[in-house]
Amino acid sequence: MNSNLTLFERAKRVIPGGVNSPVRAFKAVGGTPRFIAHAKGAYLWDAENNRYTDYIGSWGPMILGHGHPSVVEAVVKAVETGLSFGAPTEREIELAEEILKHVPSMQMVRLVSSGTEAAMSAIRLARGATGRKKLIKFEGCYHGHADALLVKAGSGLATFGNPTSAGVPPEVAQHTIVLEYNNIPQLEEAFTLHGKELACLMIEPIAGNMNFIRASAPFAKRCRELCTEYGALLVFDEVMTGFRVALGGAQSVMGVVPDITVLGKVIGGGMPLAAFGGSVDVMSHLAPLGAVYQAGTLSGNPVATACGLATLKIISEPNFYAHLSQQTRRLTQGLKNAANQAGIPFQTDSEGGMFGFFMLDELPQNYAKVMTTDSPRFNRFFHGMLEKGHYFAPALYEAGFVSSAHTNADVDSTVTAAAEVFATL
Ligand code: KE4
């Protein structure tokens, strides 16, 4: 049996940092990543056969837990009839119809293979549809790694963003304005200065890349009003929240209607599948109908669509989210009680199967506040829980996820473990 450390050393020889996505490397929390050998229900087993109760769920997709029998059956059946054709299939129509049924702000949807691809395409579509270059995003929101979105706030509203990554030319970053989440005065000033040049405003309606921060109702309303007033498109990045916080996503919880919605994660059920959609008018700008080019060899892949459809079929059953929300709240309230008993400040929020927590005195409303968290203490919490067999996100700015496979006993054992860990913090 290979140890996690042996595998990590071997991986680092052939894959940059030993991982195919940076957050998996445990850089923020330190230590050795767990190399997962197999998973079932709410549990993961690593290469050393240690079992973990999983609160990452592949960063959101595994809303049914791992290896749900109906999903596995649908995937196996799809595999047996062909892996990929590069031609249209009926199942893509079925999945598109199912998505549109639950997200009424979309009249048409294009399937792609990753959230990054969906967000990147949504920006190109907004620019093509409006003939404008600039876009607004918010500090702490992550929309995948397309160049235009790897940008941090400039020195002021008049100046534009600066790249957060090497390899992103300033000429690209300059069209991106980065604002503070939940800051209405700043939002209004940005529209006054640049509104007529804005193609879109892209936002995570519940920011899962800042752990869990809701756009306040007045802020979300103002984003909608200003986009309408200035003719910019409001883009909700629901890659994480779509079908995770509710069947209709965060937009159904908030009652705000975006012009474009970006989806991913849950709609693929763990397979590479994402999507973006909007009105017929907006989506008709996309090739082959319109002049905005967008394409993909594996877009709408027949195995991925089978996995997504099987997942959506189960989560759209009555009371699915009522039960899931209950399990999530059982966890978050249990953690809060355990932390408070240990004298540790603990704020938490959740919606559906997505949650966040902050060892802070107040629930933060923006990125700067989130980053005041005592990260060494968070790291001790993370490792303490990992040692006890409970796998939380290896970074304090990441959200957590509960699946329908998590039982009361699973959640209660996590809370018991947390009480022991909090006592050591
Ligand atoms: P992907 O390209 O990773 O499929 O999706 C990018 C993306 C877009 N929008 C939102 C709101 C997202 O959360 C993501 C990806 N989320 C991260 C976790 N916060 C994925 C984990 C990773 O990068 O490995």
Side-chain angles (χ1 to χ4, degrees), residues 356-378:
F357 62 83
F358 307 88
M359 288 184 251
L360 290 170
D361 292 323
E362 278 174 25
L363 199 62
Q365 294 303 307
N366 58 46
Y367 181 71
K369 289 276 187 341
V370 171
M371 298 321 281
T372 63
T373 300
D374 173 349
S375 54
R377 175 186 260 183
F378 170 83

Side-chain angles (χ1 to χ4, degrees), residues 21 23 59 114-116 142-144 204 209 237 239-240 265 398:
S21 197
V23 72
W59 303 98
S114 75
T116 291
Y142 174 68
H143 306 291
E204 288 183 67
N209 288 286
D237 179 346
V239 165
M240 195 185 287
K265 297 182 191 274
E398 293 285 359

